[in-house]
Amino acid sequence: MSGTSKTAPGKTPANGAPAPGEDQDLGAAGSQLTTAPKEETPNLPSLGVIGWARWFWRQLTSMRVALLLLLLLSLGAIPGSLIPQEGVDAMKVEEFRGKHDVLGPLYDKLGLFHVYSSVWFSAIYILLFVSLIGCIVPRTWQFVGQLRGRPPGAPRRLSRLPAYTTWRTGAEPEEVREAALKLLRKRRFRAHVVGDAVAAEKGYLREAGNLAFHVALIVMLIAFAWGQLFKYEGNKLILEGDGFSNTLTQYDDFKSGNLFDPDHDLTPFSFSLKDFHGTYEATGPNRGTPRVYEAQVTYSEGAYGDEKSKVIEVNKPLEIDGSKVYLTAHGYAPILTVKDAQGNVVMDKEATALLPLDSNVTSSGAVMVRDGYRNAKGEKEQLGFNAFFLPTYGGEGSTMLSTFPALLNPMLALSAYHGDLGVDAGFAKSIYQLDKTNLKEFKDSDGELFKKQLKIGETMTLPNGAGTVTFDGVQEWANFQVTRQPASGWALAGSVAAILGLAGSLFIQRRRVWVRAVKGDDGVTVVEMAGLGRSESAKVPEELGDLAAVLYEPTNDDDTPDSPDTHVVPAEGPEK
């Protein structure tokens, strides 16, 4: 086998196809290694309306435009992460508008407070969707046609191809072609005999992977849109012993997609928190890190479902008919008994949840006595207390921060107010913060705000005989997030398929091999073997050399006129 490296005069592109005006003997052999649409330069003076429409459609369905739209979609999502969104936290949006007189109205006009439902974001989304479909459908039909067809016949001059070798043998041409056909099929090439040559092709999975990647993108876009339109998410803080029913009025906060219908789409179920159990690392560098963090609940599906037990842990939610209940937070609720000036109980051992401020569950909040309280003059008033709770108090002289998240040395600090809490005005107010607009401070003997630190069982007596507050104990609470994200499984499948398809399109090379065997002028069979890939790669010459070495053995003997080389050299580049 004489390893040769030949290039005909003129310039030959890297994919082996001849330049315009040169020898066109490659013909179909150098075409259709991809299903990418051919670029057409518009004839501007003669386009007309239909021509411009076709040109616009070709631009929209081109890969560069699809990538540009994908980039714009990613950039458009950035404001949705940085700017408060009305569908997520309307209160933060109103707060932003109040603080920014210029940016607020500007963001309103640009739709930046509702990015994902804005006109411009929807336009990008729809154009990307149309672009991908317009790109995939014709390429899919073209690829199916290629699969149903056969590899094209060998070009007239195999020596023009990037990888080429030739040798002479005493075997008959039919024997060589039969051996080549058998070898190529064994190497998983699609092969058949065309005239005096064997034509073979391999690497169809590259284009299949490319199409799978784009189809997966469409699946992901549909799944994302479906999930955003029909999703819901809500949070509920539940004290031990209390329950929850999956209705809109039960949630502390709730948000949903634009097409979500709370009257029909909420999954019917209920559950009760029986016990929260948490243990923490007591020593070492990870002191205070949770070791066990779980909530024991009983739940039932539907209005009359059987009661079942379940332990909910972090990242191990309770799943009910497509809805998931996650354990997201934990804290403490001091239990207080409040009596008025006449000694009447106006709050009887009632637990008030406080919100954690740090990893050691230092907590703060507000305790409100809305009804039933009368002051020393017999007048109706409301009481409010700023509460600060430490599950593990470091002792007198230490900072007002808990040193451990468990209840080792609980301490409650209260500061007292009286007057109007403002909860009856009909406006939404936070239950974790006092509105002091119409409240007056209780004063101590020095004229300062009256406050006191309490341990369990201790009582705080309000000034001027206004009543008492007793710290009776501590109850634990857990916060649950209830979510439903339709089509999340499709989104996951699409992302996996996209990764696999992209890997296939990047690492699989589509290539063709031809083996021609004809009688020479001296009666000796001349074998030519050439390969063509979609792009320049060392893989085609290497593979061709391996195939040639294997094919040479059964078609030659010691009396063969030419001895073989053991390598194949790829064709040289274009002449300069």
Side-chain angles (χ1 to χ4, degrees):
M1 177 174 60
S2 300
T4 62
S5 175
K6 300 180 180 180
T7 303
K11 297 182 179 180
T12 303
N15 64 358
E22 295 294 331
D23 186 3
Q24 301 292 326
D25 63 353
L26 287 184
S31 66
Q32 299 304 318
L33 276 171
T34 176
T35 57
K38 297 179 180 179
E39 295 289 340
E40 293 185 4
T41 303
N43 187 3
L44 298 181
S46 60
L47 271 182
V49 176
I50 296 178
W52 274 110
R54 290 182 60 188
W55 180 82
F56 177 78
W57 174 253
R58 290 187 179 276
Q59 298 307 308
L60 179 61
T61 56
S62 66
M63 188 57 60
R64 70 170 72 90
V65 172
L67 292 174
L68 177 61
L69 290 171
L70 191 60
L71 175 62
L72 290 176
L73 195 70
S74 302
L75 294 176
I78 294 176
S81 302
L82 301 178
I83 300 173
Q85 299 295 292
E86 289 180 342
V88 177
D89 196 333
M91 294 184 67
K92 283 189 176 179
V93 173
E94 291 301 325
E95 182 180 348
F96 186 93
R97 287 175 175 149
K99 291 182 178 179
H100 301 84
D101 296 332
V102 177
L103 288 180
L106 178 61
Y107 286 0
D108 269 322
K109 291 180 180 179
L110 296 177
L112 297 182
F113 290 127
H114 48 90
V115 168
Y116 303 112
S117 60
S118 63
V119 174
W120 57 269
F121 190 85
S122 300
I124 297 174
Y125 196 91
I126 293 172
L127 284 174
L128 176 60
F129 191 77
V130 172
S131 176
L132 288 173
I133 292 179
C135 178
I136 289 172
V137 172
R139 293 185 68 167
T140 301
W141 285 115
Q142 188 175 350
F143 183 58
V144 170
Q146 292 180 26
L147 291 178
R148 295 178 63 184
R150 290 187 170 189
R156 182 167 56 87
R157 297 171 60 187
L158 290 177
S159 59
R160 291 180 57 84
L161 299 183
Y164 171 78
T165 188
T166 183
W167 72 91
R168 299 197 301 161
T169 177
E172 293 297 320
E174 293 79 5
E175 295 177 8
V176 175
R177 289 194 289 268
E178 183 179 350
L181 187 65
K182 183 178 179 181
L183 171 63
L184 291 169
R185 287 177 175 174
K186 184 178 180 181
R187 296 293 181 92
R188 297 190 299 277
F189 280 83
R190 296 179 64 198
H192 69 123
V193 178
V194 184
D196 59 1
V198 175
E201 188 167 0
K202 189 177 183 180
Y204 288 88
L205 285 179
R206 177 189 180 95
E207 190 62 29
N210 192 12
L211 292 173
F213 171 74
H214 291 87
V215 171
L217 284 183
I218 292 180
V219 172
M220 291 172 64
L221 287 174
I222 294 175
F224 175 77
W226 190 270
Q228 290 298 310
L229 291 173
F230 291 96
K231 73 173 183 178
Y232 76 83
E233 178 181 303
N235 290 279
K236 179 63 177 180
L237 186 151
I238 303 177
L239 296 169
E240 288 179 328
D242 289 349
F244 166 80
S245 179
N246 193 27
T247 59
L248 191 60
T249 57
Q250 290 274 299
Y251 284 97
D252 296 330
D253 62 80
F254 186 87
K255 57 185 178 181
S256 63
N258 294 337
L259 299 183
F260 177 82
D261 183 0
D263 295 329
H264 299 93
D265 296 338
L266 279 174
T267 306
F269 68 88
S270 60
F271 68 91
S272 299
L273 175 61
K274 295 302 180 183
D275 178 63
F276 177 87
H277 178 57
T279 61
Y280 309 89
E281 290 286 349
T283 59
N286 295 323
R287 185 176 186 272
T289 302
R291 297 180 60 187
V292 177
Y293 208 74
E294 59 187 27
Q296 177 72 43
V297 302
T298 57
Y299 71 97
S300 59
E301 302 181 40
Y304 305 102
D306 295 332
E307 195 171 83
K308 304 174 185 178
S309 296
K310 170 73 175 180
V311 175
I312 303 177
E313 302 177 53
V314 177
N315 296 325
K316 294 182 180 180
L318 167 66
E319 299 187 35
I320 304 175
D321 192 22
S323 294
K324 296 183 179 181
V325 182
Y326 290 91
L327 173 64
T328 58
H330 159 258
Y332 298 103
I335 301 172
L336 301 178
T337 297
V338 180
K339 296 181 180 180
D340 65 8
Q342 288 74 38
N344 299 317
V345 176
V346 294
M347 178 184 283
D348 188 11
K349 294 184 178 179
E350 185 174 324
T352 302
L354 305 181
L355 299 181
L357 301 176
D358 57 28
S359 59
N360 286 326
V361 203
T362 303
S363 306
S364 69
V367 179
M368 303 181 189
V369 180
R370 298 177 175 86
D371 302 310
Y373 174 79
R374 291 181 181 271
N375 59 23
K377 298 179 180 179
E379 299 171 342
K380 288 186 177 181
E381 276 191 318
Q382 293 176 326
L383 295 180
F385 303 90
N386 273 334
F388 202 76
F389 178 74
L390 282 63
T392 302
Y393 179 45
E396 187 175 352
S398 64
T399 60
M400 288 296 290
L401 293 173
S402 177
T403 59
F404 197 72
L407 291 171
L408 301 183
N409 184 27
M411 188 274 290
L412 176 66
L414 297 175
S415 55
Y417 300 83
H418 64 100
D420 182 6
L421 294 171
V423 295
D424 301 324
F427 300 104
K429 290 183 178 293
S430 172
I431 62 172
Y432 302 104
Q433 187 174 3
L434 287 180
D435 180 1
K436 301 176 185 176
T437 305
N438 298 312
L439 290 177
K440 298 179 180 179
E441 299 177 351
F442 280 105
K443 301 291 186 178
D444 59 17
S445 57
D446 297 326
E448 301 294 334
L449 172 64
F450 182 77
K451 51 189 176 182
K452 189 173 182 180
Q453 296 179 1
L454 301 174
K455 291 187 177 181
I456 294 178
E458 293 183 344
T459 298
M460 177 176 74
T461 301
L462 299 175
N464 304 318
T468 61
V469 181
T470 302
F471 181 22
D472 295 307
V474 181
Q475 193 172 353
E476 297 188 68
W477 59 259
N479 191 78
F480 297 92
Q481 184 180 75
V482 183
T483 66
R484 184 174 185 179
Q485 188 75 34
S488 58
W490 285 101
L492 176 61
S495 62
V496 173
I499 294 173
L500 295 177
L502 183 61
S505 65
L506 290 176
F507 299 111
I508 297 175
Q509 184 181 13
R510 192 168 171 185
R511 61 269 193 202
R512 290 173 180 159
V513 172
W514 293 273
V515 181
R516 174 176 284 143
V518 295
K519 284 284 188 179
D521 294 337
D522 56 358
V524 178
T525 299
V526 178
V527 181
E528 289 183 293
M529 198 169 185
L532 176 66
R534 181 179 172 186
S535 58
E536 275 191 79
S537 170
K539 186 174 183 178
V540 175
E542 290 174 2
E543 187 173 33
L544 188 71
D546 178 55
L547 291 170
V550 175
L551 182 61
Y552 174 82
E553 295 297 333
T555 59
N556 284 271
D557 52 39
D558 294 339
D559 297 329
T560 301
D562 288 340
S563 299
D565 293 334
T566 58
H567 66 282
V568 176
V569 181
E572 298 174 359
E575 294 181 358
K576 305 276 181 157

